[in-house]
Amino acid sequence: YTCDNPQIPIVVLPFLSYKTENSFLYEELCQKQRKIKSIILQYFTQKTQEELFSLGEENIKTQILTLINNEVSMGKIESIYFEEYIFLE
């Protein structure tokens, strides 16, 4: 949900891209799966639909990528993709 009043539901299905040979990062991502979900959820719940539209999908991905990379230490996520990015109204 966005922080609009009333809240607007949003469906986001993210995929993280990283070097597959980095097994240490893979393990860390598995261990921090809940934290990563929390980062993404918190990001969207702190913004209005208008803010998200004005930022644009690429800027949102860049900001979320930075937040996630700040949490991992065994490597870096190279990019994030949204299979779904839909506002439900």
Side-chain angles (χ1 to χ4, degrees):
Y1 290 94
T2 63
C3 73
D4 293 286
N5 189 8
Q7 293 177 316
I8 298 171
I10 182 171
V11 176
V12 179
L13 182 55
F15 287 94
L16 305 177
S17 174
Y18 58 93
K19 292 186 169 133
T20 56
E21 65 269 9
N22 187 342
S23 60
F24 296 112
L25 179 58
Y26 173 78
E27 290 296 325
E28 183 178 17
L29 292 173
C30 289
Q31 292 173 359
K32 294 185 175 179
Q33 186 175 6
R34 285 187 184 174
K35 177 65 177 174
I36 292 168
K37 285 181 182 179
S38 175
I39 289 168
I40 295 168
L41 179 63
Q42 187 175 14
Y43 180 88
F44 285 103
T45 59
Q46 292 178 346
K47 305 222 180 310
T48 65
Q49 183 180 30
E50 185 177 320
E51 289 173 314
L52 293 168
F53 281 151
S54 68
L55 280 169
E57 189 175 328
E58 289 307 312
N59 286 327
I60 291 169
K61 288 177 186 178
T62 300
Q63 290 177 6
I64 292 173
L65 185 66
T66 300
L67 293 170
I68 293 171
N69 277 330
N70 288 340
E71 289 295 321
V72 295
S73 59
M74 303 303 263
K76 294 290 177 196
I77 303 300
E78 295 174 354
S79 56
I80 185 170
Y81 302 97
F82 294 149
E83 184 172 313
E84 291 191 35
Y85 181 74
I86 304 167
F87 291 90
L88 304 176
E89 299 183 55

